[in-house]
Structure formats: C-alpha cells, structure tokens
Amino acid sequence: MADYDYDLFVIGAGSGGTRASRVAAAHGARVAVAEEYRVGGTCVIRGCVPKKLLVYGAHFAEDLKDARRFGWQVPSECEFSWETLRDNVLAEVDRLNGAYKKTLESHNVEIIDQRAVVTGPHSVRLADGTEKTAERILIAVGAHPAVPSCPGHEHGITSNEAFHLDAIPSRVLIAGAGYIANEFAGVFHQFGAHVTLINRSKDILRGYDLTIRDRLLQISMMKGIEFRFDATFEGIEKMDDGCLKVSMSNHEPMIVDLVMFATGRLPNTHGLGLETAGVELDDHGAIKVDEDNRSTCPSIYAVGDVTNRVQLTPVAIREGQAFADTVFGGKPTRVDYDCIPAAVFSHPPMAGVGMTEAQARQTLGSVQVYTSDFRPMKNVLAGREERSLYKMVCDGDTGRVVGLHMIGPDVPEILQAAAIAVKAGLTKAQFDATVALHPTMAEELVLMR
C-alpha cells in the first residue's frame, strides 16, 4: 500500500470542505485542508451570512416607519450609520471564521493557510512550493462572481466588495436579475440609494414560480426600484467627478455612483491543475462528478459550487457529509436533490420548494393550483398596501402537493417547516385537515382555495 502524507487532502475550506474534513477526521482519517483566503468560504465570509445581516439591517427602514402606527414615537428622520452596520457585520464574520477554525482543529484537521493546486492523482503543491501526497483529494473551492467583459468593467464591483464599501452610494446600478441582484437591490434601496436593475432578458429570477416573481417585480417597482430589460452592457466610463457613465443596448446611458455585477457565478477551477490528474470539466468549467461525488479521476472528488449542481450552502454541506460517510465511514450515502427548498431574501422575501406551476403542468399534465392573496395584519395597521401571495401546486389526480411558493414577510422561516410536508408527499386534504394557527400568516397554508 502506498505511503501518503494524508488519507484525505481537501482544497477549499468552505461549507462543503469543512464538513467533509471534520467528518472524515471523526471517522479516523488523517486530514489536511488548504485554504488560500479564510476558513468559512463564500457563505460565511462574503455570502449568505453577512448578506442576511445586511437584510436584517435594511428591514429597520420600514419597521421604524411602521412603528409610528403602532404608537411608538419614532423621530421622522432616523439617522442610519452604514459604518456601524458594516463594521459589526465584519466583526461577526471574523468571529465565525475563528469558530470554524476551532472546530476543524478540535477534530485534528490540519489547516494549511495556502493555495494548493493539483499535480497528479494523489499529489498537490502548496504556494510555498511544498509537495503533499494523499490517498484521496477533495476539491471544494467553490465559485466566484462572473464579470462581463465590456470595456470599463474594472470600474464595477461584485457582491464580494459590497460588504466593504466606505459609504452607501446615492445611485446604484445592478447588473443581473437573479437572487443576488434582487437581494442587494432591496438592501441598497432601504439604505436610501436609488437602485436600477438591468437584465439581458425580460425575466427576473428564472427558475422560480412566475406568479411569485411577478409579484416581487410589482412590489419592487412600487417601492421605487427601477428595471431595464433587454439591456446588455456596452461599456462603463469613469467621469472626471468620479461618477460612472454606463452604456447599454436598447436604453439611454445612465450616470450612477456604483455598478455592481450580479450576473452569475463561475466554478473556481482555473489554474487548479486538474488536467494533470485527468479531471474533466463541463462547458461551464465545473468538475464533472458522479452520484458519489467522484470525478473522472478515481482518487479525486468534488463537492459544492465547484460542481455547479445546486449552488446552495446546505447542499454543499450534505455533499461533504455524504462523501465523508461513504469513503471513510463505511456508510454509503447519496444526496437526494429532490424538493430542495430555496429562498430569496428580497424585500419582501420569496421562498419555494418543489415544482413550479409551469413545471408541474409540463410534467404531470393534470394540475390543481390553490392560492391565498392577502395583506398581512401588520401591513394593514401600518397602512402598507403590500400584499403577500402563497401558492400551492398539486397533482390533479392524487391531490399530492408537488410545489409550494410564497412571497411575503418571514416566508423563508415558514417554508422550512412546510417543505417537510412537500418532501413527504402530503396532500392538499392533509393540509386542510390541519387546524389553523390564528392569527398568523402561516395559517394561510391550510386555508388556501
């Protein structure tokens, strides 16, 4: 048997890599993980965690206004300090980074604070030139924001830099219409910026239910967020006063203070040396893997966004767990990708699980749709016209709930529990047989007609 430095060498200490490292070590493997930036990965350091904290902060803009209707004597002009929120969020990121490190260390995982590249089926080279060998290698390097190649693209930022801004700009242009674009549009808007989203097509949030995303579009426009569709970047020019002049197809140029690209994410496989081990990539640069996360090189595996299967943190964690249990724990496990819930932390948030109405009609043929379109009690007293919408998609023959889609306050929190029912294959009749919890927004799930 070959003598290797490690049983497992992990490249990338994000959500998938840290879970795989910790579990493999708990199963008795000798594990090292190399991370060139910070332990925690995209989600903890520059993604869902700090973004959600900004979303919480942004919600206070409307909450403080609404509080007056509930008897609180809130000053008409409340002062907001971006610097305070930014620094508190970054401090929390630092705390989590330390917590992740301690967890790995407590499981006897060696942390190597360097970039590592693959040099063969069982070998890697660190940034300092050191060579390491391992029986198995796991690639968990994640993905990075895509940036258009238009002239002047260097004047824009991505979500990575949004957490470090010196101040909130007055005019923000966001390229893209996916979840990152819509989430940051809501955040910047609530912090007082004038926000414009531009998108190459006429659709926002492709993949989500059409009715729900149309409602978000209506609400966003009502709040004052602008949209320019069928618009492709042609160039960004930095003016003498520091402002940015953005040219785009089918629309007049715009003058803004900040351009943010939110046009998708690309796997971090460039320059990783995967070709030295015969690891094949797909057309998007993602590592091709089988159901057991194994690449085309038998000793090299991959999990998380670098595989471009489902770019969600909980999925990467499950893939890392399944890999470690299968390879080192003697417990063959595969991730079930059916009925994965997802949320968009927009203003208001969206959440969904299962098939959209269009997918159900294409797949099942016979479909029954139930909805509840209502104004939350809090919005009524606050004088806010914003309406929530819940939508249940059922198999027309069996009544089984195959999709649940929602937009409104707290719907991600509500959907998590409801997703269990959809995953379990419960029927509309079983939802109806459950007594409503009144008065709540969640009760609409058992009252839909």
Side-chain angles (χ1 to χ4, degrees):
M1 182 175 178
D3 184 20
Y4 299 110
D5 296 325
Y6 306 99
D7 300 312
L8 173 65
F9 194 98
V10 180
I11 303 179
S15 298
T18 55
R19 175 59 66 90
S21 300
R22 178 175 64 79
V23 175
H27 287 316
R30 297 170 300 152
V31 182
V33 57
E35 173 55 58
E36 64 178 312
Y37 183 49
R38 303 183 74 187
V39 173
T42 294
C43 179
V44 171
I45 305 300
R46 54 190 172 271
C48 39
V49 170
K51 173 205 64 188
K52 185 66 179 294
L53 294 173
L54 293 189
V55 170
Y56 280 134
H59 270 295
F60 281 102
E62 291 182 348
D63 289 344
L64 288 168
K65 291 180 182 178
D66 293 350
R68 301 186 193 105
R69 292 279 298 177
F70 288 84
W72 291 95
Q73 302 304 309
V74 180
S76 58
E77 293 296 330
C78 292
E79 184 177 343
F80 168 67
S81 170
W82 161 250
E83 294 83 2
T84 298
L85 176 60
R86 177 199 64 199
D87 293 349
N88 286 342
V89 168
L90 295 179
E92 174 63 8
V93 168
D94 289 341
R95 185 191 71 79
L96 291 170
N97 171 240
Y100 268 63
K101 278 190 169 184
K102 287 181 180 178
T103 298
L104 289 174
E105 290 167 350
S106 68
H107 284 80
N108 298 316
V109 175
E110 180 183 348
I111 302 173
I112 301 173
D113 297 316
Q114 297 184 53
R115 176 176 174 82
V117 298
V118 174
T119 55
H122 298 281
S123 60
V124 300
R125 184 176 63 251
L126 304 180
D128 64 5
T130 304
E131 294 278 344
K132 298 289 184 180
T133 61
E135 184 177 5
R136 293 179 179 86
I137 297 170
L138 176 67
I139 310 297
V141 293
H144 64 276
V147 175
S149 59
C150 69
H153 63 83
E154 67 274 10
H155 299 307
I157 70 166
T158 69
S159 56
N160 288 354
E161 295 77 40
F163 302 105
H164 302 274
L165 293 173
D166 293 332
I168 297 296
S170 298
R171 299 163 298 181
V172 178
L173 185 147
I174 300 177
Y179 73 96
I180 295 175
N182 281 278
E183 288 172 342
F184 274 99
V187 167
F188 283 129
H189 171 76
Q190 297 296 343
F191 290 156
H194 181 271
V195 180
T196 303
L197 268 72
I198 75 168
N199 193 40
R200 290 177 299 177
S201 71
K202 288 184 170 65
D203 298 320
I204 69 170
L205 293 163
R206 285 181 302 171
Y208 287 85
D209 189 85
L210 179 60
T211 310
I212 303 299
R213 51 191 168 108
D214 278 352
R215 176 62 58 89
L216 177 63
L217 178 61
Q218 295 167 12
I219 292 174
S220 297
M221 294 174 66
M222 184 174 65
K223 290 178 183 291
I225 298 173
E226 294 188 14
F227 292 81
R228 291 191 175 188
F229 295 117
D230 295 319
T232 302
F233 264 102
E234 294 180 343
I236 304 173
E237 178 185 355
K238 191 163 188 177
M239 315 292 284
D240 293 338
D241 60 1
C243 297
L244 302 176
K245 182 179 180 181
V246 182
S247 301
M248 65 196 80
S249 62
N250 300 318
H251 297 273
E252 292 297 315
M254 289 186 65
I255 306 295
V256 298
D257 303 293
L258 177 74
V259 173
M260 176 177 161
F261 299 118
T263 50
R265 297 178 62 80
L266 301 173
N268 286 324
T269 50
H270 180 71
L272 204 56
L274 297 173
E275 67 282 354
T276 65
V279 175
E280 293 182 9
L281 307 180
D282 67 14
D283 293 340
H284 300 285
I287 297 176
K288 295 180 180 179
V289 292
D290 63 16
E291 291 181 300
D292 294 312
N293 302 294
R294 191 193 297 261
S295 76
T296 49
C297 174
S299 59
I300 297 180
Y301 298 72
V303 298
D305 290 359
V306 75
T307 67
N308 201 30
R309 285 174 288 185
V310 180
Q311 292 189 352
L312 291 173
T313 296
V315 174
I317 292 172
R318 292 220 170 192
E319 290 171 351
Q321 178 86 41
F323 159 78
D325 284 343
T326 299
V327 176
F328 296 101
K331 299 185 293 184
T333 306
R334 288 177 174 174
V335 176
D336 182 359
Y337 295 95
D338 184 48
C339 278
I340 297 174
V344 181
F345 294 100
S346 46
H347 284 72
M350 294 169 41
V353 65
M355 287 188 273
T356 65
E357 179 180 350
Q359 290 169 339
R361 293 193 184 282
Q362 184 175 10
T363 303
L364 303 174
S366 177
V367 172
Q368 189 70 43
V369 177
Y370 302 86
T371 60
S372 180
D373 190 337
F374 63 99
R375 195 152 62 122
M377 182 185 293
K378 182 181 176 226
N379 286 0
V380 174
L381 189 60
R384 194 174 292 280
E385 295 300 322
E386 192 174 297
R387 298 182 67 85
S388 296
L389 178 62
Y390 294 2
K391 181 175 183 180
M392 180 181 285
V393 182
C394 300
D395 185 321
D397 296 328
T398 65
R400 180 171 62 93
V401 180
V402 297
L404 193 57
H405 309 279
M406 314 162 72
I407 181 170
D410 300 321
V411 295
E413 304 290 347
I414 297 169
L415 185 83
Q416 177 65 84
I420 300 171
V422 179
K423 179 75 172 175
L426 299 190
T427 64
K428 176 67 165 64
Q430 289 170 307
F431 270 78
D432 292 345
T434 304
V435 176
L437 181 60
H438 181 75
T440 65
M441 293 178 291
E443 70 179 309
E444 297 297 326
L445 288 174
V446 299
L447 300 174
M448 281 193 261
R449 297 290 181 265

